[in-house]
Amino acid sequence: MRKISIGIMGSYTIDEIHENNIIYEKAGGSPIYSSLGVYIAGGEPHVYSIKGEDFKFELPDYIKEDFILETKNNLKFEIIINNGKRTLKLKSPGSKIDFNKIGPLGNIDGLIINPVCNEIDLDQINVLNIPLAVDFQGIVRKCETGKEITYKEINYIPYKPNYMVAHANIEEKNNGKLDIKKLLDVGFKEIIISYGDLGFEIYNKNGVLKETVENRGNYEVGNGDFLLGFYFTLRVKGVKIEEAARLSKLASQKFSIYGPNLQPLLS
């Protein structure tokens, strides 16, 4: 039986991590963390992204790169982690992902649109035959080189009948003025709002489903991307909302404890 194939569209990042008086670099961005969520949920991740000449990291074998735009400089963040709090600063800007240059998306069953810093224009996305998921983190962000990431209000979201899942954390929702009713009106069937170590809520036309985290670790990078990748894959596979939410909570708890370490997440 063929695995569910899920596309992930968004930028790779180089993350310069400052933690416990140690500085190191690692690969990041939605292609890393959403792909992991897709894979752990039993799907096959297909990436559509941008990669700079300075991106020298080896990627996991399960990531299939269907389209990579190569540029000189990769998008780069400085991430300061202190007492469980994360500060994000843009060190080097990335390039736009021109959807019209990608061509046919191949045999995928769903597409996650997960920008990091405004590199994707939702108006360009014209795929109508598969369900779509959108992470609003990189849509509500205001990205200026050398400055800490802030937020901007979102006044316009194009309607698409095949929107399935939206995701934002509570900070992004509030600062971006994302309204649940408006998200439902433009086509989204389910909206995930995450609350960090408290859990998440899933809104749909019938109300809200709440999942409270019982056991959470200290890993603070990529949690929302992982959650969206995992949950969306289950929903595309036909898993019902309640069961997909329950399984997503358990998987997210593991991710927050072990980070992107494959074997503990698979066990």
Side-chain angles (χ1 to χ4, degrees):
M1 184 175 179
R2 186 179 71 87
K3 271 191 173 184
I4 292 288
S5 295
I6 301 294
I8 299 102
M9 188 177 296
S11 291
Y12 284 108
T13 67
I14 297 173
D15 294 342
E16 181 185 283
I17 310 293
H18 297 241
E19 185 176 17
N20 298 326
N21 297 318
I22 299 172
I23 302 174
Y24 59 95
E25 287 188 349
K26 59 187 289 189
S30 53
I32 300 290
Y33 300 112
S34 283
S35 287
L36 179 58
V38 169
Y39 183 73
I40 297 298
E44 184 177 85
H46 292 253
V47 166
Y48 306 85
S49 188
I50 297 175
K51 193 180 289 182
E53 293 176 3
D54 50 344
F55 189 95
K56 305 294 186 182
F57 304 93
E58 186 175 342
L59 296 174
D61 292 339
Y62 56 78
I63 293 180
K64 300 184 183 301
E65 294 185 324
D66 284 17
F67 175 86
I68 300 296
L69 174 65
E70 295 186 354
T71 60
K72 183 171 180 58
N73 297 312
N74 207 87
L75 192 152
K76 186 174 183 178
F77 285 119
E78 176 185 277
I79 302 175
I80 300 173
I81 301 173
N82 187 17
N83 294 325
K85 300 293 183 181
R86 186 180 72 162
T87 301
L88 195 65
K89 182 186 292 184
L90 182 65
K91 291 201 71 172
S92 175
S95 301
K96 297 286 185 181
I97 296 178
D98 187 346
F99 184 81
N100 296 314
K101 291 183 178 179
I102 293 176
L105 293 181
N107 189 26
I108 59 174
D109 302 290
L111 175 65
I112 299 172
I113 304 161
N114 196 347
V116 178
C117 271
N118 312 121
E119 71 270 23
I120 299 174
D121 181 356
L122 287 180
D123 274 318
Q124 278 195 346
I125 308 298
N126 56 11
V127 182
L128 294 175
N129 62 328
I130 56 173
L132 303 176
V134 178
D135 197 311
F136 278 88
Q137 72 166 355
I139 296 174
V140 302
R141 280 176 174 171
K142 185 176 180 181
C143 301
E144 297 181 69
T145 305
K147 295 183 179 180
E148 188 174 337
I149 299 299
T150 56
Y151 300 97
K152 59 186 178 182
E153 183 175 341
I154 302 301
N155 297 311
Y156 166 73
I157 302 168
Y159 171 83
K160 296 187 190 298
N162 55 326
Y163 280 147
M164 187 178 194
V165 180
H167 172 263
N169 66 34
I170 188 61
E171 185 179 14
E172 293 157 356
K173 175 186 179 295
N174 290 341
N175 286 287
K177 306 296 183 188
L178 296 172
D179 181 82
I180 298 297
K181 183 180 183 304
K182 288 182 179 178
L183 289 171
L184 292 170
D185 287 345
V186 298
F188 288 102
K189 315 304 183 294
E190 298 150 35
I191 299 109
I192 306 173
I193 304 298
S194 50
Y195 292 83
D197 57 4
L198 298 178
F200 57 88
E201 298 174 339
I202 301 177
Y203 293 82
N204 63 20
K205 64 180 180 180
N206 298 318
V208 58
L209 176 66
K210 298 184 180 182
E211 289 288 349
T212 303
V213 168
E214 289 125 15
N215 184 20
R216 185 176 176 86
N218 297 317
Y219 196 82
E220 294 289 336
V221 180
N223 304 59
D225 298 328
F226 176 86
L227 170 62
L228 179 59
F230 188 93
Y231 177 83
F232 181 61
T233 302
L234 293 184
R235 293 293 290 128
V236 173
K237 289 170 70 174
V239 178
K240 291 184 178 179
I241 291 179
E242 293 81 5
E243 180 66 0
R246 184 186 71 83
L247 293 172
S248 296
K249 178 186 75 171
L250 296 176
S252 295
Q253 287 180 167
K254 276 190 174 183
F255 181 82
S256 74
I257 295 169
Y258 300 110
N261 295 309
L262 195 58
Q263 291 309 315
L265 295 175
L266 287 170
S267 63

